[in-house]
């Protein structure tokens, strides 16, 4: 199968590309703009594989995307490209609207043109998988889980932009018949994670003996999903999911932010002992505006209908992640030194001017 992947140089996208090429043998065509979070080094393992192809392009550029579709003639699309950091969206929402909403519109229209030109089995088999987040559902109370029927209630510019793109994707199915499937995932973690996100930030700050910032009192809860489990889930949804349907992907690993940070500290102390326990580096900081308290995914539909199961629990996945960062400084050191050094984001009170 010829699969067009957008955002394939990002964290989840690169995991998808590596999985598709190394484990399944599908031919992969990666479109990525290579913003600060897109890193070609994340694709080093497959860069020379003849089944992998890279296109540097902006998904908002309709002409460029149309030309790529004409050249590639994909059998399926996995749309992951997105601005994805909540804190950055607080001070710079415009880029999130442009990429996540307008860019998704460009992709849907290009896919619709491709699909309309197909016939017979090729047309019946074509799929557009729109990959999204559980943040579109807003915040849970102490009980309950997000299901595919949970009403949307986004809290941040990031989650609002993703909610809008989800609605576009489903509308293109209902209005035009485009065979769209949507997935909403919980928080991902694992190798090649850009160091602005919680888990890699804490790992690298702890290695450097820097403070480990925890928002508020650390009681905010997230459901954690190992990125390689997510990559497997996405291919399952692409190939066996039902058009017009949404599938939630979660790891059933709820942890408070404080528990996550403490577990990282303990894991690092075990694998690379320091002069003092790294828990002493934990620092509580002012909470993020509009910080959702709890996310938790019910993945029953994906598990029962499509047969997917997560292979990693949080403890095994986190130890694999910490070991990867300890063993792969070649990947993260250039980012840490030249792109993002660990400073707090999202503190600006006003929209950045562009």
């Amino acid at each position: 199968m010829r699969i067009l992947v957008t955002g394939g140089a990002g964290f989840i996208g690169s995991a998808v590309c590596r999985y598709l090429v190394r484990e399944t043998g599908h031919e992969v065509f990666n479109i990525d703009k290579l913003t600060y979070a897109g890193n070609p080094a994340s694709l080093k393992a497959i860069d020379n594989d003849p089944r992998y192809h890279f296109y540097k392009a902006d998904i908002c550029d309709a002409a460029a995307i149309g030309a790529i579709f004409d050249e590639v003639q994909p059998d399926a699309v996995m749309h992951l490209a997105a601005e994805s950091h909540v804190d950055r969206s607080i001070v710079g929402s415009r880029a999130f609207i442009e990429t996540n909403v307008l860019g998704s519109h460009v992709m849907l229209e290009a896919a619709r043109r491709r699909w309309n030109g197909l016939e017979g089995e090729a047309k019946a088999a074509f799929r557009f998988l729109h990959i999204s987040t559980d943040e579109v559902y807003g915040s849970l109370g102490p009980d309950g889980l997000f299901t595919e029927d949970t009403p949307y209630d986004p809290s941040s510019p990031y989650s609002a932009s993703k909610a809008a793109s989800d609605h576009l994707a489903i509308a293109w199915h209902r209005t035009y018949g485009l065979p769209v499937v949507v997935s909403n995932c919980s928080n991902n973690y694992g190798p090649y994670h850009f160091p602005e996100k919680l888990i890699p930030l804490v790992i690298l700050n702890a290695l450097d003996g820097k403070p480990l910032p925890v928002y508020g009192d650390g009681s905010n809860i997230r459901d954690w999903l190992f990125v390689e489990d997510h990559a497997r889930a996405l291919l399952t949804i692409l190939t066996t999911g039902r058009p017009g349907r949404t599938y939630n992907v979660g790891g059933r690993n709820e942890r408070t932010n404080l528990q996550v940070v403490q577990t990282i500290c303990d894991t690092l102390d075990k694998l690379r002992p320091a002069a003092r326990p790294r828990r002493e580096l934990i620092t509580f900081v002012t909470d993020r505006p509009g910080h959702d308290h709890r996310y938790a995914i019910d993945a029953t539909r994906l598990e029962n209908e499509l047969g997917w199961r997560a292979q990693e629990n949080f403890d095994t996945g986190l130890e694999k992640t910490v070991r990867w960062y300890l063993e792969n400084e070649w990947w993260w050191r250039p980012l840490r030194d030249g792109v993002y050094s660990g400073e707090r984001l999202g503190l600006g009170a006003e929209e950045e001017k562009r």
Side-chain angles (χ1 to χ4, degrees):
M1 185 162 53
R2 297 166 66 84
I3 303 176
L4 186 65
V5 177
T6 68
F11 170 47
I12 300 174
S14 65
V16 168
C17 288
R18 292 190 303 270
Y19 173 68
L20 291 176
V21 172
R22 294 192 300 188
E23 304 296 331
T24 72
H26 293 301
E27 193 167 9
V28 174
F29 302 83
N30 175 16
I31 300 175
D32 201 292
K33 185 181 177 181
L34 295 182
T35 63
Y36 77 95
N39 189 352
S42 301
L43 297 156
K44 183 178 178 181
I46 60 171
D47 194 43
N48 294 320
D49 194 298
R51 295 164 298 180
Y52 173 73
H53 315 270
F54 177 75
Y55 296 85
K56 183 178 180 181
D58 186 343
I59 61 168
C60 294
D61 185 340
I65 296 303
I68 293 170
F69 266 80
D70 288 342
E71 178 181 334
V72 171
Q73 299 186 26
D75 303 309
V77 177
M78 301 177 78
H79 177 41
L80 297 104
E83 295 285 345
S84 66
H85 196 276
V86 173
D87 287 351
R88 290 183 185 271
S89 81
I90 292 171
V91 295
S93 59
R94 180 172 174 172
F96 289 74
I97 304 306
E98 290 174 346
T99 298
N100 300 356
V101 182
L102 300 179
S104 293
H105 173 261
V106 168
M107 290 300 303
L108 286 163
E109 282 292 88
R112 183 164 73 97
R113 184 169 65 89
R114 164 67 177 160
W115 178 69
N116 281 334
L118 297 173
E119 296 179 352
E121 292 183 4
K123 187 167 188 174
F126 186 88
R127 292 290 184 273
F128 185 103
L129 174 56
H130 177 73
I131 291 94
S132 189
T133 172
D134 59 359
E135 297 196 33
V136 299
Y137 298 125
S139 184
L140 282 168
D143 302 311
L145 301 170
F146 292 136
T147 72
E148 290 82 358
D149 297 320
T150 299
Y152 277 30
D153 188 25
S155 302
S156 69
Y158 162 62
S159 57
S161 70
K162 289 299 293 182
S165 66
D166 290 9
H167 290 318
L168 285 176
I170 292 298
W172 256 241
H173 171 71
R174 293 178 179 174
T175 300
Y176 304 111
L178 184 68
V180 169
V181 189
V182 174
S183 67
N184 296 85
C185 68
S186 58
N187 281 38
N188 280 225
Y189 70 101
Y192 301 98
H193 204 176
F194 189 80
E196 70 185 359
K197 300 297 177 73
L198 175 64
I199 286 178
L201 173 62
V202 170
I203 292 171
L204 300 183
N205 274 10
L207 285 174
D208 288 343
K210 293 182 176 180
L212 308 180
V214 176
Y215 288 153
D217 61 2
S219 65
N220 297 76
I221 296 170
R222 298 294 180 263
D223 172 25
W224 292 94
L225 174 66
F226 194 61
V227 70
E228 293 174 13
D229 279 331
H230 190 197
R232 290 189 304 102
L234 292 178
L235 181 61
T236 298
I237 294 168
L238 180 74
T239 55
T240 62
R242 198 168 80 200
R245 204 146 169 82
T246 295
Y247 296 89
N248 282 348
V249 191
R252 301 190 187 277
N253 292 300
E254 289 186 57
R255 297 290 189 282
T256 67
N257 287 348
L258 182 57
Q259 287 174 324
V260 170
V261 175
Q262 290 172 334
T263 304
I264 293 170
C265 291
D266 296 344
T267 304
L268 277 171
D269 288 347
K270 179 181 73 172
L271 298 177
R272 186 170 291 182
R276 61 188 180 120
R278 290 183 171 91
R279 286 193 181 206
E280 296 180 11
L281 298 171
I282 294 173
T283 304
F284 295 95
V285 300
T286 303
D287 207 355
R288 147 201 303 166
H291 195 182
D292 291 332
H293 183 70
R294 175 173 171 259
Y295 303 149
I297 282 281
D298 182 351
T300 299
R301 174 180 291 179
L302 174 61
E303 293 167 344
N304 290 352
E305 290 188 11
L306 306 187
W308 173 87
R309 294 289 187 280
Q311 294 180 353
E312 300 291 342
N313 61 45
F314 185 73
D315 293 330
T316 62
L318 186 66
E319 180 160 336
K320 285 185 177 182
T321 301
V322 172
R323 287 185 184 276
W324 187 89
Y325 279 90
L326 291 176
E327 296 167 1
N328 289 277
E329 186 171 349
W330 67 271
W331 182 87
W332 58 260
R333 179 58 69 185
L335 299 176
R336 186 82 165 173
D337 291 345
V339 181
Y340 174 72
S341 60
E343 69 275 10
R344 182 175 179 183
L345 302 169
L347 290 175
E350 297 181 358
E351 169 81 7
E352 66 184 7
K353 294 179 174 58
R354 294 182 53 172

